[in-house]
Amino acid sequence: FSCNLSDLLCSFLGLLYQEYRDKSTREEIETRRLQDSQTDPEETSPSEETPSEAERTSTSENKAPPQLNLLRNSNSRFNLWQDLPEVQSSGVLSILQPDEIKLQEAMFELVTSEASYYKSLNLLVSHFMENERLKKILHQSEAHILFSNVLDVMAVSERFLLDLEQRVEENIVISDVCDIVYQHTVNHFSVYITYVSNQTYQERAYKQLLQDKPAFREVISQLELDPKCKGLSFSSFLILPFQRITRLKLLVQNILKKVEEKSDRESTALDAHKELETVVKACNEGVRKMSRTEQMISIQKKLEFKIKSVPIISHSRWLLKQGELQQMNGPKTSRTLRTKKLFREIYLFLFNDLLVICRQIPGDKYQVFDSAPRGLLRVEELEDQGQSLANVFILRLLENADDREASYMLKASSQSEMKRWMISLAPNRRTKFVSFTSRLVDCPQIQCVHPYVAQQPDELSLELADVLNILDKTDDG
């Protein structure tokens, strides 16, 4: 997406405490509940009772606690648990310890934020996905990529929210919510992994549609202007599931900080947090795998093999580094070193298990003239032999595409680039390479004064004021 993720998150937080449901949304949920009860009677929730049934149940139990109407009342605007009329009139605030009140607020925040999230998901589906004009513009496959399994995600959120709502309505003092989080994470939250993993294709499809279909761009712009969207973009709604699964983990962390040590609630919070962490990691890994596969497909399309073709695309392969170097040819005499014809440009694609050596050709293509398994690569830094051989190193292929040994003298644009290539090509097999830190008594620290976004997989993205330990230092700064 073109918009910054942190900006999207900030915008989304503005919706966090929206009203839970309007009348139409409530009717839709009641319809779904009825459908669920018809297909599987065992899953019928106690909260599906009619008001008269609930009233009779309350009357039959003399000590039954007053029910909260927050989630049933579409006009409710209470963001804090202690501000609820039911809570204030019950007198529990004068009985509970301050720590318990803080815990109640933390659990209540998880419930209300899920309500707000569900409402926003419902808006994504009803306002965008089910828009008739948009349906006519999008091909079925485009719509599938763009919206992925959002209906499954919304159904899971609804089921989760109904269980949370039932728990809140059981007693004005919430007993626990993390046990519900745990059960739903284990049994239902795998839909998030599917949705988030498809994010790479979703993002690409969205950009392509904006570029290729003016009618799509026009309809999306008009839909975004609707007051229902609260000024948020379509892409900010698409990213909701990714934001939610990470926020849930933070909300459980907040609860975990407030529960008593070695209590049952601490145990359930720890279990819930562990399972959420597993789902978040699986989401991140899914995104990483999809991005890598997408990158492999893109590279494969650009390669033309002068040698025997090597299959590039593999689920176990990913790109480590790519870039241009100068290949040195001919005898190394003082005369030839002075001519520019001694060097010619080559391009390297270094994967985790394979090196592909190419020459760039017209049409943004690369002609492959050699390759070797990464485990059969060796590098050697040349001794200082003057300016012409500065930043030159030797790359040896113990077994290349022709099943023989080959050597290349390669020149980098700087000393730091040369060392980075050497480390990437053969991380544990460098020769004549002495780390600068071996000459230091202590490992020095520096502080970042300019932010930097990584351009290569072997680079670090740095934020302002980050503190770094210097492990190696090159003469070029």
Side-chain angles (χ1 to χ4, degrees):
F1 301 106
S2 58
C3 45
N4 185 278
L5 180 60
S6 61
D7 292 337
L8 293 179
L9 183 57
C10 290
S11 298
F12 171 69
L13 290 177
L15 283 178
L16 196 58
Y17 290 117
Q18 289 176 346
E19 65 180 64
Y20 168 41
R21 298 172 199 160
D22 54 22
K23 183 178 179 182
S24 62
T25 307
R26 186 64 194 175
E27 290 174 351
E28 180 183 350
I29 291 178
E30 293 297 339
T31 303
R32 292 191 184 185
R33 284 173 168 173
L34 182 60
Q35 291 172 348
D36 290 343
S37 65
Q38 290 172 347
T39 56
D40 190 357
E42 292 181 1
E43 291 186 4
T44 303
S45 170
S47 62
E48 294 172 331
E49 297 175 330
T50 62
S52 58
E53 290 173 334
E55 188 177 343
R56 286 195 298 270
T57 303
S58 179
T59 305
S60 63
E61 296 179 12
N62 296 329
K63 296 185 179 180
Q67 289 191 332
L68 294 175
N69 295 317
L70 169 71
L71 303 181
R72 293 186 181 276
N73 185 359
S74 61
N75 296 320
S76 178
R77 304 244 176 215
F78 296 101
N79 296 337
L80 295 176
W81 173 80
Q82 59 189 309
D83 289 341
L84 295 173
E86 293 89 346
V87 173
Q88 293 200 344
S89 62
S90 68
V92 295
L93 292 176
S94 60
I95 300 173
L96 295 179
Q97 296 295 320
D99 288 345
E100 178 62 30
I101 293 176
K102 290 178 182 178
L103 176 59
Q104 291 294 312
E105 296 292 5
M107 292 190 290
F108 189 68
E109 182 184 9
L110 188 145
V111 179
T112 54
S113 63
E114 187 67 28
S116 176
Y117 163 66
Y118 176 82
K119 184 176 180 181
S120 297
L121 271 185
N122 189 63
L123 186 61
L124 170 62
V125 172
S126 62
H127 186 62
F128 290 99
M129 182 178 175
E130 295 178 351
N131 180 269
E132 292 301 326
R133 289 178 62 194
L134 205 57
K135 281 183 178 180
K136 292 177 182 178
I137 295 170
L138 293 176
H139 187 271
Q140 188 176 359
S141 61
E142 293 173 333
H144 177 70
I145 295 173
L146 195 59
F147 293 101
S148 190
N149 64 328
V150 68
L151 290 177
D152 295 333
V153 173
M154 191 170 76
V156 165
S157 176
E158 179 187 306
R159 189 184 307 176
F160 181 41
L161 186 55
L162 290 174
D163 284 350
L164 290 173
E165 175 184 328
Q166 179 186 344
R167 177 62 57 82
V168 171
E169 291 179 342
E170 286 175 358
N171 198 313
I172 53 174
V173 179
I174 307 169
S175 59
D176 198 2
V177 294
C178 288
D179 57 331
I180 299 175
V181 175
Y182 172 79
Q183 292 296 333
H184 281 262
T185 304
V186 170
N187 297 318
H188 307 299
F189 280 9
S190 59
V191 296
Y192 281 97
I193 301 172
T194 303
Y195 187 94
V196 175
S197 297
N198 288 331
Q199 203 167 330
T200 300
Y201 299 103
Q202 186 187 60
E203 179 182 350
R204 183 187 62 179
Y206 180 53
K207 289 180 179 178
Q208 201 69 40
L209 286 167
L210 288 175
Q211 181 179 333
D212 298 344
K213 292 191 175 184
F216 172 81
R217 187 168 60 246
E218 180 184 351
V219 171
I220 289 295
S221 297
Q222 290 176 356
L223 292 174
E224 288 176 339
L225 292 174
D226 193 293
K228 295 177 185 175
C229 295
K230 306 289 185 182
L232 295 179
S233 65
F234 172 55
S235 57
S236 68
F237 285 95
L238 287 177
I239 207 171
L240 282 174
F242 172 75
Q243 293 175 331
R244 184 56 187 169
I245 198 66
T246 52
R247 174 148 180 80
L248 263 179
K249 193 179 84 164
L250 295 176
L251 290 168
V252 172
Q253 280 179 354
N254 190 35
I255 293 173
L256 192 55
K257 292 176 183 176
K258 294 173 172 57
V259 293
E260 293 181 18
E261 291 185 10
K262 299 180 180 180
S263 65
D264 289 341
R265 289 195 291 195
E266 183 189 50
S267 178
T268 56
L270 285 170
D271 290 341
H273 184 267
K274 182 180 178 181
E275 291 301 323
L276 283 169
E277 203 165 47
T278 300
V279 172
V280 170
K281 285 181 179 178
C283 287
N284 291 333
E285 185 60 27
V287 170
R288 188 158 41 247
K289 284 183 178 179
M290 287 293 186
S291 298
R292 286 172 175 176
T293 302
E294 184 80 359
Q295 191 176 42
M296 293 293 103
I297 294 172
S298 176
I299 292 173
Q300 176 79 66
K301 291 178 179 177
K302 296 179 180 180
L303 299 182
E304 294 182 1
F305 285 84
K306 186 178 180 180
I307 57 173
K308 183 180 177 181
S309 178
V310 178
I312 298 297
I313 301 172
S314 169
H315 287 299
S316 61
R317 177 174 295 150
W318 61 88
L319 184 70
L320 290 179
K321 190 173 178 65
Q322 64 175 321
E324 190 177 85
L325 290 170
Q326 300 289 323
Q327 181 187 2
M328 184 175 289
N329 293 317
K332 288 73 178 176
T333 65
S334 58
R335 183 179 178 182
T336 58
L337 287 176
R338 286 195 297 269
T339 174
K340 291 183 179 179
K341 293 182 180 180
L342 179 63
F343 304 98
R344 61 175 176 175
E345 295 174 349
I346 64 170
Y347 201 92
L348 271 56
F349 289 98
L350 178 64
F351 304 99
N352 61 309
D353 62 344
L354 177 71
L355 171 67
V356 176
I357 307 176
C358 323
R359 290 189 182 91
Q360 194 163 7
I361 56 178
D364 195 26
K365 298 281 187 178
Y366 298 89
Q367 187 181 65
V368 181
F369 65 87
D370 210 350
S371 66
R374 189 179 178 218
L376 298 179
L377 302 178
R378 302 293 184 270
V379 292
E380 181 179 344
E381 185 177 357
L382 291 182
E383 297 288 351
D384 186 14
Q385 296 188 24
Q387 186 61 35
S388 297
L389 288 179
N391 310 322
V392 172
F393 67 97
I394 298 173
L395 170 63
R396 302 190 192 281
L397 282 58
L398 300 185
E399 188 177 303
N400 71 350
D402 297 326
D403 297 325
R404 61 181 179 82
E405 186 173 337
S407 293
Y408 296 91
M409 289 188 69
L410 303 177
K411 182 179 178 67
S413 61
S414 66
Q415 186 185 29
S416 56
E417 185 189 6
M418 178 194 71
K419 288 191 173 184
R420 283 171 57 193
W421 269 112
M422 291 177 68
I423 291 170
S424 298
L425 288 163
N428 300 316
R429 301 185 180 89
R430 301 187 306 276
T431 60
K432 298 185 180 179
F433 182 89
V434 180
S435 173
F436 179 78
T437 53
S438 65
R439 302 193 297 271
L440 296 177
V441 177
D442 252 334
C443 182
Q445 286 189 335
I446 60 159
Q447 190 169 42
C448 175
V449 293
H450 296 288
Y452 179 75
V453 178
Q455 306 298 313
Q456 290 277 352
D458 67 337
E459 293 183 348
L460 290 175
S461 290
L462 304 178
E463 298 292 340
L464 196 65
D466 278 353
V467 177
L468 309 170
N469 289 326
I470 299 298
L471 300 179
D472 190 23
K473 186 177 180 181
T474 53
D475 296 334
D476 58 4

